[in-house]
Amino acid sequence: MNSTGNSKPVSTNQNGIHKDLDAIVRKHCAHEDRTPIPTFVEDSLDLITQKHRETARPLWLDSFCGTGMSTRLLASAHPDYLIVGVDQSTHRLAAEPQTEGDNFLLVRSDCESLWRLMARQKIKLAHHTLFYPNPWPKAAHLKRRVHGNASFQALLALSDQLELRTNWNIYASEFDYALTLSNWISQRQPITPSQVLTRFEAKYSRSGHTLWQIKAHRQS
Ligand SMILES: C[S@@+](CC[C@H](N)C(=O)[O-])C[C@H]1O[C@@H](n2cnc3c(N)ncnc32)[C@H](O)[C@@H]1O
């Protein structure tokens, strides 16, 4: 990872919100995603469920956690929660030796499949954070972004509140718009964190990028 503070801003062939976003979000919210769940994702949920049973604390998912820096920091700031960091990269998860603590757990999984499986099992999260998911900045890659993916409906079913951070203004605007379409109340703003929560956040801050935060909750 580039740690020198000269990370380039996201480069894209989009001028603003993707023209197909509206139709894609409406389609995904109208139809349940029945994509099969890989076995390794079922295994990852077994690990989470076991830890959840042991700790008996409200569950907070930290999706796309990378090395788990945010997971560890959130766990020490919120001892009454079980914080579970999820990332697909074994390499990133192994960057720091400890993958489990009193109130945190790091698991290798695929976020989108895990959200689907948790939603099917009606698992409820107390909170959900998604810090700097891959932007997929080419217009053709809209469906790989969290809000353009068929798993978006499952993501929304899991919790009544969530927070996403990104260094790409269009991603922030699209996510904000997709939430609003889904009847969520969403607030998008640039932030200067008093404590950096992730490795990418540190890199983007050093590089002078604007950091966008979306905080949202379900409309009651
Ligand atoms: C830009 S990095 C951000 C990591 C961390 N949140 C941070 O800010 O330092 C995006 C992370 O998402 C992970 N990732 C990408 N797609 C994923 C998926 N479908 N399921 C789980 N992890 C995924 C990558 O392995 C990578 O660690």
Side-chain angles (χ1 to χ4, degrees), residues 1 40 62-70 86-90 92-93 107-115 130-136 144 165 167 197-204:
M1 190 183 80
F40 83 97
D62 185 26
S63 287
F64 310 108
C65 71
T67 61
M69 177 177 163
S70 51
V86 183
D87 202 278
Q88 69 183 8
S89 164
T90 313
R92 287 229 164 103
L93 290 169
V107 290
R108 178 178 174 263
S109 197
D110 172 70
C111 286
E112 289 84 353
S113 303
L114 181 64
W115 302 338
L130 307 92
F131 296 138
Y132 307 96
N134 287 340
W136 298 107
R144 300 189 192 184
R165 295 185 189 182
N167 66 328
L197 283 185
T198 80
R199 288 194 179 193
F200 276 79
E201 188 160 85
K203 177 177 79 156
Y204 297 145

Side-chain angles (χ1 to χ4, degrees), residues 5-6 13 27 36 60 72 77 105 120 145-146 181 185 206:
N6 58 0
N13 56 348
K27 184 178 126 194
W60 176 330
R72 292 182 179 83
L105 175 69
R120 281 179 202 171
R145 298 175 202 155
V146 167
L181 274 182
I185 311 282
R206 278 196 300 271

Side-chain angles (χ1 to χ4, degrees), residues 28-94:
H28 288 157
C29 286
H31 301 101
E32 191 192 342
D33 180 9
R34 298 192 170 274
T35 314
I37 308 289
T39 307
F40 83 97
V41 172
E42 292 181 344
D43 295 344
S44 71
L45 183 55
D46 287 345
L47 290 176
I48 296 170
T49 309
Q50 190 185 331
K51 181 83 177 178
H52 192 207
R53 240 184 264 123
E54 284 165 19
T55 57
R57 286 176 232 199
L59 188 56
W60 176 330
L61 205 63
D62 185 26
S63 287
F64 310 108
C65 71
T67 61
M69 177 177 163
S70 51
T71 313
R72 292 182 179 83
L73 289 170
L74 291 170
S76 61
H78 303 280
D80 294 342
Y81 289 82
L82 169 63
I83 321 281
V84 175
V86 183
D87 202 278
Q88 69 183 8
S89 164
T90 313
H91 177 69
R92 287 229 164 103
L93 290 169

